[in-house]
Amino acid sequence: VAERWGNDLPLVALIPKARQLGVSTFVQALLFVLCLVHEKGGQPYRVATIAHLESSAKSIFTMTRLFEKKLPASWRLPIESNQQGRIEWAGGSRNQVVSAKLGDQALKGETLNAFHGSEVANWADLGQDPNELWTSAEGCIAYGPYDGVVFESTAKGRDPFFHGKIDRALRGESNEPILFLPWYLEPRY
């Protein structure tokens, strides 16, 4: 994150990972803080996450609710709307989490500063085309300073989307950096 933004580049990361390493929690915390900092600075910052399952979307959004609940009172900002899967502050910053089951309808009409694709190797599990899903979501991203896209997933063989992105990056056909987080980084494993 620091390397990309320190060089005035949008954050772009492909993260093949082991389970339970805290990647989704880190990304959600980063997005939450960016919403707050920009909101305090008078600029709305809008983020969205697409999770592979509805239950995962709910679990991921629970992190946002917990972050908000645990904030010191001096950091709390007025909330305009707090709905299932979506929180919006009074100045226009917004954090939302949806599931891949929405297909290419996910995030239509949105303008985003940052995007988190969670367990993207599993996006096709419910019969959706992950390429159509990403094409729809990608059109929402502004790609300005401190903006970014993070795709993370545990392995699922040669899935039609994430494996392809990793393979193209490894061959040098894309400029998406890979951050590989193997199972042996977690002492419990």
Side-chain angles (χ1 to χ4, degrees):
V1 174
E3 178 184 334
R4 298 288 294 187
W5 287 343
N7 289 304
D8 294 323
L9 298 169
L11 173 63
V12 178
L14 301 174
I15 307 175
K17 64 177 187 73
R19 293 181 42 81
Q20 303 296 317
L21 294 181
V23 174
S24 290
T25 303
F26 172 80
V27 173
Q28 289 302 304
L30 176 64
L31 298 179
F32 180 79
V33 168
L34 287 167
C35 285
L36 291 184
V37 168
H38 280 79
E39 182 85 6
K40 279 191 169 227
Q43 295 292 319
Y45 194 84
R46 296 184 174 120
V47 304
T49 299
I50 295 181
H52 69 300
L53 297 172
E54 187 71 31
S55 60
S56 295
K58 288 178 183 177
S59 177
I60 289 170
F61 190 70
T62 298
M63 294 177 202
T64 298
R65 289 196 191 277
L66 182 61
F67 298 151
E68 178 69 28
K69 181 180 176 182
K70 297 288 186 178
L71 274 179
S74 63
W75 269 90
R76 288 220 175 104
L77 300 173
I79 294 175
E80 180 75 22
S81 175
N82 195 350
Q83 306 168 17
Q84 180 178 342
R86 180 180 173 125
I87 186 170
E88 186 168 349
W89 289 270
S93 290
R94 179 173 53 238
N95 186 331
Q96 61 184 324
V97 182
V98 299
S99 78
K101 80 175 185 178
L102 295 176
D104 70 350
Q105 295 301 308
L107 309 176
K108 287 260 177 158
E110 296 290 339
T111 300
L112 301 173
N113 299 97
F115 174 83
H116 172 205
S118 178
E119 292 297 343
V120 295
N122 297 289
W123 277 3
D125 287 359
L126 299 176
Q128 301 296 343
D129 181 339
N131 291 300
E132 286 181 11
L133 179 58
W134 172 234
T135 299
S136 178
E138 184 178 30
C140 302
I141 301 167
Y143 287 114
Y146 301 104
D147 293 348
V149 174
V150 174
F151 290 106
E152 50 88 1
S153 191
T154 51
K156 187 175 181 179
R158 296 180 182 272
D159 74 277
F161 183 71
F162 191 59
H163 179 268
K165 288 183 91 48
I166 297 292
D167 200 36
R168 284 187 296 282
L170 287 171
R171 289 192 312 256
E173 296 172 6
S174 80
N175 63 352
E176 297 172 312
I178 299 170
L179 176 60
F180 177 53
L181 300 175
W183 63 270
Y184 53 80
L185 293 177
E186 171 54 58
R188 292 179 297 166
Y189 292 143

